[in-house]
Amino acid sequence: MKYINKKYVMLTLAIALLSITACKKYTDEYNPQSRTAETYYNTFSGFEDLARSNYAPLRGIVNFTGLYYLGTDAFSTPSINDANGENLYNNNLNSTNGDVDSYLRQLYYAINIANNTLYWATQVKDGSTATINIRVAEAKALRAYYYYLLTETFGDVPLVLTRTTSINLVFTRTPEKEVYNQIIQDLTDAVGTLPATTSDFGRVTKGFAQHLLAKVYLTRGYKSYGSGEADFQLAATTSEAVINSGNYSLKTKYADLFDPSIANFQVNPEVIFSVQYSTNTVTNAFTVQQNGSVSQQSGNSLQQYFMWDTQNTGLIGRSTFYGKTNNSSALDPYWFSNFDKNRDSRYLANVYDVVYVQVAGSFNNKSYTVGDTLLYYPAVAFTPEQKAAKKYIVINPDEYRTSPFSAGLRSYPQFKKFRDPFVTAYVDFGGARDTYVFRLAETYLIAAEAYLKAGNTAKALQYFNAIRARAAKPGNNPDTGISYATEMQVSTLTIDDILDERLRELTGEEFRWFELKRTGTLVRRTLAYNDEAKAANALKAIHVLRPIPQAVIDLNRAAFPQNPGY
């Protein structure tokens, strides 16, 4: 651990054994400085510090926007001319890709902390046995999550279940089926031990393990080695156990989940698990494994997701109100086409359909003052005559892949879902709002998908429509006299309907690439809706797995084959 000896334990999978400054009350670690692992982790207080360190790596893991969103149906690159391999599946997606290398390193780094926790749990000489058992269950649940991400990304991966204390140059790829068996075993163990609730908001609970177990069963049900309908039924009943537990409930208004003007908006009964951040700049820092090195970052970057770059026009500039984009991924036109803008409240909870001048100036021989409307994105396209009659710039839905300010870039309703009032400068990272990982709305959609695949459409519609009813605008449609909530209900359901609903409900929370891969729709939907990927036409069935990093293959002393096609 860094706080023990300040040294790394290195191996071919780039596991770094160190502790990270973590987050909020329960993850603020005491630095014992001169103590060693052997004299500290076998004490209850030392073991508690070690257990806390399991949470900090999540900050790096949830921030791989390229791997999670690019090259899917609704997300692309900010530039329509970008040659990004993760979006186009061209030759730039290869074994030297920095993202896949860093991702594997970060996940095995986190796994080693979990394994270290499991070892030292057997060595603790004092303290509460019940608490130690809970910490073991937390570590197992998190390890299961990491292996789920690993095996879905790379397929067969080394299954490392013991702590690393020395250099190991011999690893082999464990068959995916066996990795899934271990994931299910870890989660089953965790469900039997974890508490239903915790006073330390942000810790893993029984709901985390059950929600993830439901998703694991759902995912395995699609696979050739899975149990098909039996897995889908297990996914349905496990997700229902979360829904009916009484520990969680849907918020009345979707927008309230993301509105920072509401006190404690992130601590609410719909959130099953979130990655924690802090307004304390010291505890907001975290370590990431990046291209073979270790670096420090400070704060969340969630507030930078899916935005177009406002600095391309001087009338907005480096606005702290609209914020700085991470220029990693952008919303494709298909994302916007998914919303019923007359009935669905989530559209304007996610985006601004008006952009206002932040810096006085002129454009196209028209003068603007601060607060003037600069851009308007109507739900229904304006005619050329209607556009010409406006001082401000009107951008119709079929024009989102062009910008009035910069060739080759996009301009669309600016994304606002994750706006962060704690970021008061035009900077990267620095965010203090939490990242929702598992939310009850997703549990409902897992149940809907599981029941649909198990052949029980009525139950699937029950859970699906519950999410749509909550999403509806309040009141009645004046044209029909029928409530918007009623009009949002559907009577038929397909996997594509569920994937579209996940977009509307869970953008920036779900990892989109994983959802399309699970349902077998990655190739079809991406080539249908992602304009850049469609033009490149390089996406094939082999791309449901990412390339194994070349560094792993080169350093390993056992046979370690590359995934097909790379």
Side-chain angles (χ1 to χ4, degrees):
M1 302 289 287
K2 180 175 71 173
Y3 295 140
I4 303 300
N5 294 317
K6 293 189 177 180
K7 68 179 181 180
Y8 302 134
V9 177
M10 299 182 64
L11 68 160
T12 61
L13 294 175
I15 302 169
L17 176 58
L18 74 165
S19 177
I20 305 175
T21 302
C23 44
K24 296 188 177 176
K25 177 183 68 175
Y26 73 87
T27 51
D28 291 343
E29 295 185 55
Y30 167 61
N31 184 346
Q33 297 181 351
S34 61
R35 290 171 175 156
T36 65
E38 289 71 25
T39 61
Y40 189 56
Y41 291 159
N42 63 353
T43 68
F44 183 68
S45 60
F47 176 74
E48 280 284 80
D49 276 349
L50 174 60
R52 291 185 185 99
S53 71
N54 279 285
Y55 289 88
L58 286 159
R59 289 178 172 178
I61 289 167
V62 299
N63 270 310
F64 282 85
T65 52
L67 291 178
Y68 294 150
Y69 301 107
L70 290 181
T72 63
D73 51 356
F75 304 92
S76 188
T77 47
S79 169
I80 63 174
N81 299 315
D82 200 307
N84 188 298
E86 291 160 39
N87 193 48
L88 303 184
Y89 299 92
N90 57 20
N91 290 336
N92 291 327
L93 181 61
N94 57 50
S95 61
T96 63
N97 179 279
D99 278 352
V100 295
D101 183 270
S102 298
Y103 193 54
L104 184 142
R105 292 172 187 269
Q106 186 74 14
L107 286 166
Y108 274 109
Y109 159 57
I111 286 168
N112 197 51
I113 295 176
N115 288 341
N116 210 32
T117 303
L118 297 178
Y119 169 78
W120 284 106
T122 66
Q123 306 298 311
V124 180
K125 298 176 181 178
D126 60 339
S128 166
T129 300
T131 300
I132 292 170
N133 289 339
I134 290 171
R135 301 297 178 250
V136 166
E138 291 176 21
K140 284 187 174 183
L142 288 170
R143 184 173 70 178
Y145 181 51
Y146 304 144
Y147 272 118
Y148 169 74
L149 297 176
L150 273 169
T151 197
E152 282 301 292
T153 302
F154 299 107
D156 301 344
V157 293
L159 185 60
V160 183
L161 301 177
T162 58
R163 66 179 185 142
T164 298
T165 58
S166 61
I167 294 174
N168 186 350
L169 298 178
V170 180
F171 287 93
T172 58
R173 299 180 67 177
T174 303
E176 185 180 306
K177 178 180 179 179
E178 294 178 28
V179 179
Y180 258 83
N181 289 341
Q182 183 62 48
I183 292 169
I184 291 170
Q185 183 61 60
D186 275 352
L187 290 173
T188 302
D189 292 347
V191 167
T193 303
L194 286 168
T197 60
T198 176
S199 58
D200 289 331
F201 188 80
R203 276 198 184 275
V204 164
T205 61
K206 183 177 181 178
F208 172 102
Q210 289 176 310
H211 177 100
L212 179 56
L213 184 58
K215 178 172 269 193
V216 167
Y217 281 135
L218 180 64
T219 306
R220 192 177 69 169
Y222 285 92
K223 296 181 180 293
S224 60
Y225 58 79
S227 301
E229 186 174 331
D231 276 337
F232 296 134
Q233 189 60 50
L234 284 169
T237 55
T238 306
S239 56
E240 280 190 319
V242 180
I243 294 167
N244 298 327
S245 68
N247 298 314
Y248 309 100
S249 60
L250 296 175
K251 291 279 286 183
T252 302
K253 292 176 60 180
Y254 171 87
D256 288 353
L257 289 158
F258 307 99
D259 186 351
S261 69
I262 298 174
N264 296 319
F265 71 102
Q266 300 174 110
V267 182
N268 66 74
E270 187 166 336
V271 176
I272 297 170
F273 183 74
S274 57
V275 174
Q276 306 285 286
Y277 290 84
S278 172
T279 56
N280 184 318
T281 56
V282 175
T283 59
N284 219 23
F286 60 100
T287 302
V288 292
Q289 311 298 308
Q290 200 166 44
N291 296 330
S293 63
V294 179
S295 63
Q296 286 284 123
Q297 293 175 352
S298 182
N300 205 346
S301 64
L302 188 65
Q303 73 281 357
Q304 299 181 263
Y305 282 20
F306 312 132
M307 299 191 300
W308 56 270
D309 198 343
T310 61
Q311 68 176 328
N312 291 319
T313 169
L315 295 174
I316 305 174
R318 296 187 170 189
S319 164
T320 56
F321 178 79
Y322 291 112
K324 183 180 183 181
T325 177
N326 61 6
N327 272 317
S328 172
S329 53
L331 302 175
D332 244 5
Y334 182 71
W335 188 91
F336 295 94
S337 70
N338 252 294
F339 288 87
D340 180 343
K341 300 175 182 66
N342 293 322
R343 299 177 178 86
D344 196 328
S345 70
R346 293 173 296 191
Y347 182 65
L348 291 181
N350 278 274
V351 300
Y352 296 112
D353 62 353
V354 179
V355 173
Y356 297 101
V357 172
Q358 303 294 299
V359 181
S362 62
F363 184 76
N364 283 347
N365 298 317
K366 297 175 183 177
S367 296
Y368 294 85
T369 60
V370 174
D372 285 350
T373 297
L374 176 63
L375 297 164
Y376 176 56
Y377 304 89
V380 178
F382 276 31
T383 65
E385 293 75 20
Q386 289 174 315
K387 293 176 72 170
K390 301 298 183 182
K391 174 184 175 180
Y392 51 79
I393 303 166
V394 176
I395 299 181
N396 285 332
D398 64 352
E399 298 171 321
Y400 290 172
R401 294 180 71 245
T402 60
S403 167
F405 311 115
S406 299
L409 298 181
R410 305 169 189 269
S411 181
Y412 49 73
Q414 189 67 302
F415 198 70
K416 70 174 185 179
K417 181 177 180 179
F418 302 127
R419 58 200 182 280
D420 192 332
F422 305 111
V423 180
T424 57
Y426 188 82
V427 295
D428 290 313
F429 295 97
R433 69 177 295 161
D434 300 338
T435 296
Y436 297 156
V437 176
F438 296 149
R439 183 158 60 82
L440 188 65
E442 187 189 23
T443 320
Y444 273 70
L445 293 175
I446 289 172
E449 184 180 335
Y451 272 121
L452 181 65
K453 294 295 293 183
N456 191 337
T457 304
K459 290 284 283 186
L461 284 166
Q462 172 190 331
Y463 289 112
F464 185 81
N465 281 327
I467 299 304
R468 290 187 60 79
R470 192 269 295 272
K473 292 180 178 179
N476 294 338
N477 185 335
D479 294 331
T480 64
I482 300 171
S483 72
Y484 288 118
T486 298
E487 290 187 345
M488 285 278 284
Q489 310 283 311
V490 299
S491 57
T492 60
L493 193 61
T494 67
I495 290 297
D496 283 314
D497 293 332
I498 292 172
L499 289 169
D500 287 345
E501 191 66 22
R502 292 185 69 97
L503 268 183
R504 292 184 283 264
E505 181 70 27
L506 298 167
T507 287
E509 301 172 69
E510 69 165 12
F511 298 159
R512 188 63 177 177
W513 187 88
F514 286 76
E515 308 307 321
L516 298 186
K517 176 187 173 176
R518 178 185 69 248
T519 53
T521 60
L522 177 66
V523 175
R524 173 175 62 82
R525 286 180 65 101
T526 300
L527 292 180
Y529 303 128
N530 182 318
D531 293 302
E532 290 68 48
K534 183 194 306 182
N537 197 30
L539 174 57
K540 301 178 178 64
I542 62 166
H543 292 118
V544 297
L545 294 177
R546 305 295 197 180
I548 299 295
Q550 193 62 42
V552 172
I553 296 173
D554 291 345
L555 290 171
N556 203 50
R557 297 296 182 264
F560 207 98
Q562 179 59 269
N563 281 329
Y566 294 105

